[in-house]
Amino acid sequence: MATEKKHKLKIIPLGGLGEIGKNMTVIEYGTNIIVVDCGMSFPEDEMLGIDIVIPDITYLIKNQDKIKGICLTHGHEDHIGSIPYLLKKINVPLYGTKLTLGLVENKLLEHKIEDAQLNRVEAGQTINLGCFKVTFIRSNHSIPDAVSFAIDTPIGMIVHTGDFKIDYTPINEEVMDLGKLAECGRKGVLLAMSDSTNVERAGFTESEKTIGYKFLDIFKTCESRIIVASFASNVHRLQQIINAAVANNRKVAISGKSMINAVKVSQELGYLDAPEGTLIHINDLKDYKDSEVVLMTTGSQGEPMSALTRMANSDHKKIQIKQGDLVIISANPIPGNEKTVSRVINMLYEKGATVLYDALTQVHVSGHARREELKLMLSLLKPKFFIPVHGEYRHLMQHAKLAEEMGIPEKNTIIGKNGDVIELTSKSIAINGSVQSGNILVDGLGVGDVGNIVLRDRKLLAENGLIIVVLVTERGSGKIISGPEIVSRGFIYVRENIDLIEESKSVIRKALSKCEDTKIKDWNNIKMMIKDALSSFIYEKIKRNPMILPIIMEVKPDDMSSICDLLKEELEV
Amino acid sequence: MATEKKHKLKIIPLGGLGEIGKNMTVIEYGTNIIVVDCGMSFPEDEMLGIDIVIPDITYLIKNQDKIKGICLTHGHEDHIGSIPYLLKKINVPLYGTKLTLGLVENKLLEHKIEDAQLNRVEAGQTINLGCFKVTFIRSNHSIPDAVSFAIDTPIGMIVHTGDFKIDYTPINEEVMDLGKLAECGRKGVLLAMSDSTNVERAGFTESEKTIGYKFLDIFKTCESRIIVASFASNVHRLQQIINAAVANNRKVAISGKSMINAVKVSQELGYLDAPEGTLIHINDLKDYKDSEVVLMTTGSQGEPMSALTRMANSDHKKIQIKQGDLVIISANPIPGNEKTVSRVINMLYEKGATVLYDALTQVHVSGHARREELKLMLSLLKPKFFIPVHGEYRHLMQHAKLAEEMGIPEKNTIIGKNGDVIELTSKSIAINGSVQSGNILVDGLGVGDVGNIVLRDRKLLAENGLIIVVLVTERGSGKIISGPEIVSRGFIYVRENIDLIEESKSVIRKALSKCEDTKIKDWNNIKMMIKDALSSFIYEKIKRNPMILPIIMEVKPDDMSSICDLLKEELEV
């Protein structure tokens, strides 16, 4: 009988499946909800003009009374980036480790959010959230203070790895708590959710320390100024740059807003250790010889506005790249950034710098587990059910195959989509329906006000430009008393293509007289006729498809205000 | 004395330096010019709406009387793609090997060019072009019939490698003619120009044959339908797919226009050998079991319109991807295509296909020489002077360093830019001035009519969309008798943002009354006032910068035609 009363456990991914980014997973049992992570992602190429993408949290807003808290695995944007947007809708408690919360606080300041409920949890601690017990388990990643979660639920234990790699020689000597994970495995793990990012890469990801040794080698033999670009949040990498600098009697200056923030926060919280006097202000670089300084900077992805890109472009206020500078790009291009990074490398070379990047020598290691580490994780946890997370479909697919090789039957693994409701009992796992989910686009301060129609228009405008056709007709007769005139943007140089413009006008006139002959009086139809006639003419002439926007104005000498009505109609199109 | 009469030899790269693509090099001595290759390149991301990019050939048009001919190294687009555009301006003779000319003929048909002067040359042959003797030297590349050039000039020998790799076991048993290159080296090479594409990769590029063995392994154990995507022009790859199919009793069908063309041409010219009955029409696939067929297709770069992408999207007319299909992507993403390729892989997996690509197992080898091969080339040629070609600056730079390691003094190597005039004597090499060069953008049928202003507008429209402000004023008084009305595209949903639109209108009205107060009557100034007021309002409201396009119409009841003049002014903006 009791068993009938039991609820099913629901796993509802709102982000992070079928994509790299905006990680967010809902875990629900009866009237209890906890959420793992609250990330953002960067726009796809076709999301023109969009700044960031956040998950659709409609389901959480509807069920906000059930939410006991949001547990954060670590402080990367794809795990905490949506927090300000979520808190503006529902103010729920957040749980995370010290550095993670430190980075969250920075975000909240930017968004002027003051009433957030931040609860610090130490790795190793267990917290009670409704019917759930969440244990924070130390893990390793490309940012300190990352954790995995062991979640006790009424029907069994769930382990969510978060982003992880297994680093036996991490910078802070805190190896992932494999013992705790093994203990979970012994007790019995009902469901494991594990990071799929690097599943396509064989072997083990190298230890962060290997890069430290590489820095020492490079710095030792270098007489010139050293500039190192890396991810601001990769505090261990920054620590190793500082260590190599100290070992070679170099001072360290910092460039780039996010890098300055990251250093500030991680120093305050004790995650970054720089001997007194090591860090200097960028303005003080001039007081030292080139062989006495290192500059840590943002821009490892070739972001157009970043410090390194400005240096390469010679429009950085403080730093000019000069002959002999050694620039180390200590990061790999995120898929899609290959060309921007390459462009920066080219510009640095052209200015006489020597540039080191992964194509030439290993100056970066990944923060994600490769196949052998993923196998180790699965063999420690021995889960009954498995949901690969954090990856495009190709990665989830490969990870599912890997799990099958490890003895987890295919039917026990779910390759889910964002929005799927994955129902779990002690004996079964299955997708049962779905909830509202998807991408909410943030453009400037606008959240969700740019949708598919707007994006479609942007794409059309981007590829072909715009032709505005303005003409004035006389009310009643419909006779053209002025125009058609043509204004274009992003199409061609009007001045250099007068003929095409003139021909276009006569095409429009033909279309209009056709309307007259066929007694078409409805403005939308007339506009349609103009559009069709002009676009097929233009396409035939030069094989292009500009957006065509007819604006028809009707006037009546003794009734000027009628123009206004006409324009109002315009807005209805 | 005679020496004073001697001209300097000029090397003028019009494309291919500081970029991957649109390779074109002018070699000039006195009244003699020959050109090596005539390629196109694909647009950069910021070249919105552009189809292809071709080199600026103004210099060749000015000097057309000097041109003795264009020598083609091989049939890839980045070496022959601009030929139709060039021939429409100047009809000069072309020299190339059989397959190269076959592919050129195809292009000329598409462009309806009939009077081209195509001259076939066999590898090993030497032709006289004015004061130059050009010897075609067999080389290896990812397309058959590729050659390098040894060019005897009045002041010494130049060797241009073209794109190459050194394949000791090529598919057609025709190894690069290393003996001939060594002979050049013994005679003395004044200047070498060598392919820099893969200079950042250590070791040797694997033989094309390794992929053949891989195909045999894969095909042997596969029971399902096999679909292989690769570059249409990689005829050796196609040959190996066919061989593996024949060895496993599979028929081969072809999908994708360029693939069908490539197979047709290379079969006719004897570069592709398929036993009678091996190739079947795609419509006949239904007559065979899945285990009896292979489909060769285009789309290895995830091109949106390509056959493979259509299959993955389920909008291919003939082929539906089904559970169990094996899809092999036998090509690497060209930088910039990583995401589109990844998307196709994801969609194929989602449809139940198994997908093999380089991240998982080696199903592709490059057509370009790596460092050890580049060293071999330099040590065979022992050139006095060196110009690294075919690469972005980073590649040219690395190649120059490599040459220095090989004993070529730094001062004897030139890292050039497109348009540089590189002057050569038997004793010296130096850049002396430059000629007009650059990117000509092709958009539809328009060649060069899309320039920076148009692209800047497209970018602005793409990122922020457009707001058109229309208002009608009374001549003389300047009083607004209608509007302002607002039409927007690619900005926000007007319907859902009525407030913003209304506020915008009042902002515009304020700006206008300010104009009245300050007696500003000039239309361009009034437009500027509207633009400034509205854009700063919008930015403050939602942090966006839409393009703002004010259209002011002035009317006078008894003088309708005045409207027309106003609109004409509009066009002057």
Side-chain angles (χ1 to χ4, degrees):
Chain A
M1 300 306 120
T3 52
E4 291 169 352
K5 281 233 186 60
K6 261 200 192 156
H7 306 281
K8 282 182 173 165
L9 185 79
K10 293 180 187 169
I11 309 289
I12 307 173
L14 292 179
L17 294 196
E19 64 181 343
I20 303 275
K22 76 184 204 335
N23 299 290
M24 186 171 210
T25 309
V26 176
I27 300 173
E28 178 172 0
Y29 187 85
T31 57
N32 303 271
I33 284 180
I34 58 172
V35 181
V36 175
D37 288 333
C38 185
M40 54 149 272
S41 65
F42 292 103
E44 296 293 320
D45 296 352
E46 67 274 13
M47 299 178 182
L48 295 164
I50 298 305
D51 302 322
I52 68 166
V53 180
I54 61 176
D56 183 333
I57 57 165
T58 307
Y59 182 78
L60 290 177
I61 293 169
K62 283 188 187 151
N63 295 278
Q64 51 188 290
D65 305 342
K66 296 184 176 180
I67 303 173
K68 308 305 175 192
I70 299 179
C71 301
L72 305 170
T73 57
H74 63 283
H76 279 153
E77 287 298 335
D78 55 334
H79 294 259
I80 66 170
S82 291
I83 289 175
Y85 302 93
L86 177 131
L87 291 186
K88 286 172 190 171
K89 304 270 188 180
I90 46 175
N91 187 357
V92 295
L94 304 174
Y95 299 86
T97 54
K98 191 164 69 172
L99 179 62
T100 304
L101 293 185
L103 293 165
V104 169
E105 273 169 350
N106 250 339
K107 287 194 156 302
L108 298 178
L109 280 177
E110 286 170 22
H111 286 261
K112 303 188 178 54
I113 296 174
E114 282 152 1
D115 57 347
Q117 310 164 47
L118 304 184
N119 306 281
R120 184 194 297 179
V121 183
E122 305 292 334
Q125 262 187 308
T126 300
I127 58 172
N128 293 306
L129 295 174
C131 67
F132 302 108
K133 278 198 180 56
V134 183
T135 304
F136 286 51
I137 302 173
R138 157 96 43 230
S139 88
N140 299 125
H141 188 41
S142 47
I143 184 170
D145 236 6
V147 291
S148 304
F149 295 130
I151 305 166
D152 277 309
T153 81
I155 67 163
M157 184 187 288
I158 300 174
V159 172
H160 192 304
T161 65
D163 290 354
F164 79 99
K165 71 189 276 187
I166 297 171
D167 194 336
Y168 299 108
T169 57
I171 305 315
N172 54 4
E173 269 76 50
E174 297 180 304
V175 180
M176 186 168 200
D177 191 345
L178 300 174
K180 182 68 192 169
L181 293 164
E183 189 187 321
C184 295
R186 278 199 310 279
K187 286 188 189 158
V189 173
L190 181 62
L191 169 69
M193 292 181 266
S194 181
D195 176 8
S196 310
T197 310
N198 266 352
V199 67
E200 288 178 343
R201 301 177 67 183
F204 269 87
T205 295
E206 304 82 350
S207 169
E208 177 64 28
K209 242 176 202 159
T210 58
I211 300 307
Y213 299 131
K214 179 52 87 61
F215 284 154
L216 283 171
D217 292 345
I218 297 170
F219 285 30
K220 203 185 311 159
T221 57
C222 178
E223 283 307 306
S224 58
R225 183 168 65 169
I226 298 177
I227 299 171
V228 189
S230 75
F231 291 110
S233 63
N234 196 336
V235 178
H236 288 148
R237 192 68 50 88
L238 306 185
Q239 181 68 67
Q240 301 202 94
I241 298 166
I242 291 171
N243 295 349
V246 171
N248 291 278
N249 307 311
R250 289 176 181 253
K251 303 293 185 186
V252 178
I254 304 159
S255 177
K257 181 164 158 289
S258 61
M259 182 78 77
I260 292 167
N261 277 337
V263 169
K264 184 168 161 296
V265 173
S266 42
Q267 264 195 308
E268 286 168 0
L269 301 180
Y271 289 90
L272 191 65
D273 172 30
E276 192 60 33
T278 304
L279 298 183
I280 62 172
H281 192 281
I282 193 166
N283 293 342
D284 301 335
L285 282 173
K286 58 176 171 1
D287 305 338
Y288 298 86
K289 292 209 228 76
D290 288 346
S291 60
E292 296 173 339
V293 296
V294 175
L295 178 66
M296 296 198 300
T297 179
T298 55
S300 65
Q301 296 301 305
E303 308 91 326
M305 290 302 133
S306 66
L308 184 64
T309 305
R310 289 178 185 279
M311 294 175 209
N313 271 330
S314 310
D315 60 12
H316 189 285
K317 286 192 201 64
K318 312 273 173 102
I319 305 291
Q320 287 74 38
I321 298 294
K322 55 189 175 189
Q323 191 69 31
D325 281 344
L326 174 66
V327 180
I328 303 172
I329 298 179
S330 182
N332 274 356
I334 294 166
N337 294 348
E338 292 82 357
K339 286 184 110 174
T340 51
V341 173
S342 192
R343 207 172 294 181
V344 169
I345 292 171
N346 288 322
M347 291 188 296
L348 290 168
Y349 272 130
E350 287 172 36
K351 299 207 163 29
T354 302
V355 193
L356 293 180
Y357 42 99
D358 246 19
L360 301 181
T361 174
Q362 187 172 28
V363 286
H364 174 70
V365 294
S366 169
H368 295 276
R370 294 194 191 181
R371 291 181 75 82
E372 293 308 313
E373 292 157 277
L374 296 174
K375 288 183 193 170
L376 173 52
M377 179 60 72
L378 285 169
S379 56
L380 286 174
L381 296 177
K382 300 194 223 66
K384 179 169 186 179
F385 301 113
F386 179 54
I387 303 175
V389 295
H390 301 176
E392 298 174 11
Y393 196 92
R394 61 192 273 187
H395 306 110
L396 305 180
M397 187 72 195
Q398 300 293 338
H399 205 174
K401 283 185 183 171
L402 187 86
E404 202 178 347
E405 291 169 24
M406 304 281 302
I408 298 174
E410 193 182 352
K411 65 173 178 44
N412 286 18
T413 295
I414 295 278
I415 297 177
K417 300 186 308 300
N418 294 333
D420 282 346
V421 176
I422 302 168
E423 284 188 341
L424 199 64
T425 69
S426 55
K427 295 180 186 50
S428 70
I429 188 166
I431 297 174
N432 182 6
S434 66
V435 305
Q436 180 172 335
S437 71
N439 293 329
I440 302 296
L441 308 183
V442 179
D443 182 358
L445 294 184
V447 178
D449 63 349
V450 170
N452 291 335
I453 297 174
V454 171
L455 287 180
R456 189 202 59 202
D457 284 350
R458 286 182 181 180
K459 185 168 188 296
L460 189 55
L461 291 164
E463 287 176 357
N464 302 282
L466 165 84
I467 298 180
I468 304 171
V469 178
V470 199
L471 57 91
V472 182
T473 63
E474 188 171 59
R475 167 159 291 185
S477 72
K479 180 166 128 294
I480 305 171
I481 48 183
S482 171
E485 292 297 339
I486 289 178
V487 184
S488 88
R489 288 290 186 275
F491 175 51
I492 48 172
Y493 291 119
V494 170
R495 279 202 198 65
E496 290 174 11
N497 294 273
I498 300 301
D499 299 355
L500 185 70
I501 299 299
E502 285 310 315
E503 291 176 71
S504 303
K505 286 180 187 173
S506 59
V507 166
I508 297 164
R509 286 198 196 87
K510 274 201 207 72
L512 288 163
S513 56
K514 193 150 159 244
C515 294
E516 275 184 38
D517 305 346
T518 53
K519 303 266 174 298
I520 295 178
K521 292 241 174 294
D522 165 52
W523 291 120
N524 289 330
N525 285 334
I526 293 176
K527 280 180 208 145
M528 206 49 68
M529 299 280 283
I530 293 173
K531 265 187 190 163
D532 296 348
L534 189 54
S535 67
S536 44
F537 167 74
I538 299 262
Y539 186 78
E540 199 201 296
K541 271 304 246 203
I542 57 174
K543 295 272 179 294
R544 292 185 205 168
N545 293 308
M547 177 188 285
I548 294 173
L549 193 55
I551 302 181
I552 302 177
M553 321 254 317
E554 189 183 51
V555 290
K556 198 158 130 227
D558 56 328
D559 176 18
M560 284 303 177
S561 62
S562 64
I563 295 172
C564 182
D565 311 328
L566 257 296
L567 281 160
K568 287 222 183 58
E569 281 183 25
E570 203 38 59
L571 298 175
E572 303 311 310
V573 179
Chain B
M1 301 308 120
T3 52
E4 291 169 352
K5 281 232 187 57
K6 259 196 191 161
H7 306 282
K8 282 184 173 167
L9 185 80
K10 293 180 186 169
I11 309 288
I12 307 174
L14 292 179
L17 295 197
E19 64 182 340
I20 303 275
K22 73 180 197 357
N23 298 291
M24 186 172 211
T25 310
V26 177
I27 300 174
E28 179 173 358
Y29 187 84
T31 57
N32 303 271
I33 283 180
I34 59 172
V35 181
V36 174
D37 288 334
C38 185
M40 53 150 275
S41 65
F42 292 103
E44 297 292 319
D45 297 352
E46 67 272 14
M47 299 178 183
L48 294 165
I50 298 305
D51 300 324
I52 69 167
V53 180
I54 61 176
D56 183 332
I57 58 165
T58 307
Y59 182 77
L60 290 177
I61 293 168
K62 283 189 189 149
N63 296 277
Q64 51 187 291
D65 305 342
K66 295 184 177 177
I67 303 173
K68 308 304 174 193
I70 299 180
C71 300
L72 305 169
T73 57
H74 63 285
H76 278 154
E77 288 297 335
D78 55 334
H79 294 258
I80 67 169
S82 291
I83 288 174
Y85 302 93
L86 177 131
L87 291 185
K88 285 171 190 170
K89 305 270 189 183
I90 45 175
N91 187 357
V92 295
L94 304 173
Y95 299 85
T97 53
K98 192 163 69 171
L99 180 61
T100 304
L101 293 185
L103 293 165
V104 168
E105 272 169 351
N106 250 340
K107 289 193 153 304
L108 298 179
L109 280 177
E110 285 170 22
H111 285 260
K112 303 192 180 52
I113 296 174
E114 281 151 2
D115 58 345
Q117 310 164 48
L118 304 184
N119 306 281
R120 185 195 296 181
V121 183
E122 306 292 334
Q125 263 186 311
T126 299
I127 58 172
N128 293 306
L129 295 174
C131 67
F132 302 109
K133 276 198 183 55
V134 183
T135 304
F136 285 52
I137 302 174
R138 159 94 43 228
S139 89
N140 299 126
H141 188 41
S142 47
I143 184 170
D145 235 6
V147 291
S148 304
F149 294 130
I151 305 167
D152 277 309
T153 80
I155 66 162
M157 185 188 288
I158 300 175
V159 173
H160 192 304
T161 65
D163 289 355
F164 78 99
K165 71 189 275 187
I166 297 171
D167 193 338
Y168 298 109
T169 57
I171 305 316
N172 55 3
E173 269 75 50
E174 296 179 304
V175 180
M176 186 169 200
D177 191 345
L178 300 174
K180 182 69 192 167
L181 293 164
E183 189 187 321
C184 295
R186 278 199 309 279
K187 285 187 190 160
V189 174
L190 180 63
L191 169 70
M193 293 182 264
S194 182
D195 177 7
S196 311
T197 311
N198 266 352
V199 68
E200 288 179 343
R201 302 177 66 185
F204 269 87
T205 294
E206 304 83 350
S207 169
E208 177 65 28
K209 244 180 200 152
T210 57
I211 300 307
Y213 299 131
K214 182 50 92 55
F215 283 155
L216 283 170
D217 292 344
I218 296 170
F219 284 31
K220 202 186 309 160
T221 57
C222 179
E223 283 306 306
S224 60
R225 183 168 62 172
I226 299 175
I227 299 171
V228 189
S230 76
F231 291 110
S233 63
N234 196 336
V235 178
H236 289 148
R237 192 67 49 87
L238 306 186
Q239 182 68 65
Q240 300 203 93
I241 297 166
I242 291 171
N243 295 349
V246 171
N248 291 279
N249 308 310
R250 288 177 181 253
K251 302 293 184 185
V252 178
I254 305 159
S255 178
K257 179 164 158 292
S258 61
M259 182 78 74
I260 291 165
N261 277 336
V263 169
K264 184 168 160 298
V265 172
S266 42
Q267 264 196 311
E268 285 168 1
L269 300 179
Y271 290 90
L272 192 64
D273 172 30
E276 191 61 31
T278 305
L279 298 183
I280 62 172
H281 191 280
I282 193 165
N283 293 339
D284 301 335
L285 281 173
K286 58 176 174 359
D287 306 338
Y288 298 87
K289 293 207 226 79
D290 288 346
S291 61
E292 296 172 342
V293 296
V294 175
L295 179 65
M296 297 197 302
T297 179
T298 55
S300 64
Q301 296 301 306
E303 309 92 326
M305 290 301 134
S306 66
L308 184 63
T309 306
R310 288 177 185 278
M311 294 176 207
N313 272 328
S314 309
D315 61 10
H316 190 285
K317 285 192 203 66
K318 313 271 173 104
I319 305 291
Q320 288 73 39
I321 297 293
K322 53 189 175 186
Q323 190 69 32
D325 281 343
L326 174 66
V327 180
I328 303 171
I329 298 179
S330 182
N332 273 357
I334 294 166
N337 295 348
E338 292 81 359
K339 285 184 112 173
T340 52
V341 173
S342 192
R343 208 172 293 182
V344 168
I345 292 171
N346 288 324
M347 291 188 295
L348 290 168
Y349 272 129
E350 288 174 36
K351 299 204 163 33
T354 303
V355 192
L356 293 180
Y357 43 98
D358 246 20
L360 301 180
T361 174
Q362 186 172 27
V363 288
H364 174 70
V365 294
S366 167
H368 295 276
R370 295 194 191 182
R371 292 182 74 84
E372 292 309 312
E373 292 157 277
L374 297 175
K375 288 184 194 169
L376 174 52
M377 178 60 73
L378 285 169
S379 55
L380 287 173
L381 296 177
K382 303 193 219 65
K384 179 168 186 179
F385 300 113
F386 179 54
I387 304 176
V389 295
H390 301 176
E392 298 174 10
Y393 195 92
R394 62 193 271 187
H395 305 110
L396 304 180
M397 187 71 196
Q398 300 294 336
H399 205 174
K401 282 186 183 168
L402 187 83
E404 202 177 348
E405 290 170 25
M406 303 283 301
I408 299 174
E410 192 181 354
K411 65 173 178 46
N412 286 16
T413 295
I414 295 279
I415 297 177
K417 299 187 308 301
N418 294 333
D420 282 345
V421 176
I422 302 169
E423 284 188 342
L424 201 64
T425 69
S426 56
K427 298 185 181 49
S428 69
I429 187 167
I431 296 173
N432 182 5
S434 66
V435 305
Q436 180 172 336
S437 71
N439 292 329
I440 302 297
L441 308 183
V442 180
D443 181 359
L445 294 183
V447 178
D449 62 349
V450 170
N452 291 336
I453 298 175
V454 172
L455 287 181
R456 190 202 58 202
D457 283 350
R458 286 183 181 180
K459 185 166 186 299
L460 190 55
L461 290 164
E463 287 176 357
N464 302 282
L466 165 84
I467 298 180
I468 304 170
V469 178
V470 198
L471 56 92
V472 182
T473 64
E474 189 171 58
R475 167 160 293 184
S477 72
K479 179 165 128 294
I480 303 171
I481 47 184
S482 171
E485 293 297 340
I486 288 178
V487 184
S488 87
R489 288 290 185 275
F491 174 53
I492 48 170
Y493 291 118
V494 170
R495 276 200 201 66
E496 292 172 10
N497 295 274
I498 300 300
D499 299 354
L500 185 70
I501 299 299
E502 286 311 315
E503 291 175 71
S504 302
K505 287 180 187 173
S506 58
V507 167
I508 296 165
R509 287 199 196 85
K510 274 200 207 74
L512 287 163
S513 55
K514 194 153 159 236
C515 294
E516 275 183 39
D517 306 346
T518 54
K519 300 270 174 297
I520 295 179
K521 290 244 174 292
D522 165 51
W523 291 120
N524 289 329
N525 285 334
I526 293 177
K527 282 180 204 148
M528 205 51 66
M529 299 279 284
I530 294 175
K531 266 187 189 165
D532 296 347
L534 188 54
S535 67
S536 44
F537 167 74
I538 298 267
Y539 185 78
E540 198 203 296
K541 272 304 245 201
I542 57 173
K543 296 271 179 289
R544 293 185 205 170
N545 293 306
M547 178 188 285
I548 294 174
L549 192 55
I551 301 180
I552 302 177
M553 320 254 316
E554 189 183 51
V555 288
K556 196 158 131 229
D558 58 329
D559 176 20
M560 284 303 178
S561 63
S562 64
I563 295 171
C564 181
D565 310 330
L566 257 295
L567 282 161
K568 288 225 181 58
E569 281 183 25
E570 200 42 57
L571 298 177
E572 303 310 313
V573 179

